[in-house]
Amino acid sequence: MSATLFGCTPPPVDATLGEAEWRPFVEANSFGHLVAAGRDRDVPVVVPTQFVLEGDTIRLHLVRTNPLFAALAENPRLLLSVAGDWTFIPSSWKAVGDEDPRLGIPTTYYGAVQLIGTATVHDERTAPGSVAAVLRRQLQALQPDIPAADPEVAHPQKVLSILGLSIAIDDVSAKFKYGGNVDEAHRLAVVGHLVERNGPGDAAAAGHVLRRLGSGAPPAQSPTTPSRPRPPGWPEWPPSRIWHVRRYGGPGRDRSL
């Protein structure tokens, strides 16, 4: 099974740079939508959920009565869609120098990753300790510094009311749309506007633009404005708001879409 983001192949300038890019993004945006097609359904089952990504496995839990489990009984294949760090870029921001701001084309910056795999359902009634193990992994990942009672000991009846899910990932699609279709000068101009506006999503989007400019990926060239280095005196982005690209080993199954 394979999939493309939004039913089409994005241009190369928006393609992921690889696992070192999409994995930190997913880990930092650990809330997504599970999509289970089942069999012969008019529409798939879509469930928003918190999750934990560990290596090649996604772990989460849902209430036992969630309709997702009926779809998984028909077909254990499913997709987890994660999108975030989005912000709207007004048309006037796309102009630099003497360019007419009225002719700018508005857009939206965002990151999106789709993880595809096969689900294993954990049921405390048939496999004691299996759901509690998923809950422990989630607690360790989501609140590592906050003590919590062991769910199997403190909440045995509540644990019986939920099911755990482990999803073995075998395919990854990713897209990072952060102005890769224009040259460095235009991208830095947008970053300046994002810094000034400082609205929801602006800091993360600006960080992605700067990160990808420094990633080694060749910037697109504008026919009217040559690429230029970062302007002298350009303020450093707060380290806590910049993406720190980490290197991961592994089989490198990700696809650039």
Side-chain angles (χ1 to χ4, degrees):
M1 178 179 178
S2 61
T4 57
L5 285 163
F6 314 113
C8 62
T9 300
V13 293
D14 297 334
T16 180
L17 302 176
E19 186 172 359
E21 179 175 48
W22 66 254
R23 183 176 288 275
F25 174 82
V26 172
E27 291 174 341
N29 294 273
S30 59
F31 190 94
H33 290 82
L34 284 173
V35 183
R39 299 290 184 192
D40 302 320
R41 291 170 175 260
D42 290 335
V43 294
V45 177
V46 180
V47 176
T49 184
Q50 182 90 50
F51 66 89
V52 169
L53 174 63
E54 293 184 328
D56 298 331
T57 304
I58 299 163
R59 304 186 195 280
L60 60 108
H61 71 277
L62 298 168
V63 66
R64 180 180 291 273
T65 55
N66 194 294
L68 183 86
F69 293 113
L72 291 179
E74 300 165 2
N75 176 10
R77 298 284 290 170
L78 79 172
L79 177 150
L80 175 64
S81 176
V82 182
D85 297 348
W86 72 271
T87 191
F88 176 70
I89 308 300
S91 55
S92 60
W93 289 13
K94 304 295 286 295
V96 299
D98 296 330
E99 296 173 351
D100 189 343
R102 297 172 301 174
L103 300 179
I105 300 174
T107 190
T108 299
Y109 284 179
Y110 64 87
V113 179
Q114 293 178 349
L115 307 164
I116 303 168
T118 301
T120 297
V121 179
H122 304 288
D123 189 338
E124 200 77 5
R125 296 177 183 176
T126 57
S130 61
V131 176
V134 171
L135 295 175
R136 292 189 195 101
R137 302 294 283 273
Q138 288 191 275
L139 286 170
Q140 291 169 3
L142 297 173
Q143 55 170 70
D145 301 321
I146 301 176
D150 186 280
E152 188 174 16
V153 176
H155 310 289
Q157 294 305 311
K158 292 184 181 297
V159 173
L160 291 174
S161 69
I162 62 178
L163 297 175
L165 269 182
S166 297
I167 304 168
I169 304 166
D170 54 50
D171 200 3
V172 179
S173 303
K175 177 179 180 180
F176 289 85
K177 185 175 181 288
Y178 291 102
N181 61 317
V182 299
D183 63 32
E184 185 172 334
H186 284 80
R187 278 182 272 183
L188 289 177
V190 169
V191 168
H193 288 295
L194 290 170
V195 172
E196 182 179 6
R197 185 172 68 181
N198 195 29
D202 288 349
H208 281 297
V209 175
L210 295 176
R211 175 182 59 75
R212 286 174 69 86
L213 278 172
S215 67
Q221 296 296 314
S222 164
T224 58
T225 308
S227 177
R228 60 178 173 83
R230 188 169 179 171
W234 188 268
E236 290 293 330
W237 200 253
S240 62
R241 310 298 286 275
I242 280 282
W243 279 101
H244 297 284
V245 179
R246 292 178 286 174
R247 295 296 174 187
Y248 291 83
R253 303 167 319 287
D254 51 285
R255 293 186 293 122
S256 298
L257 293 177

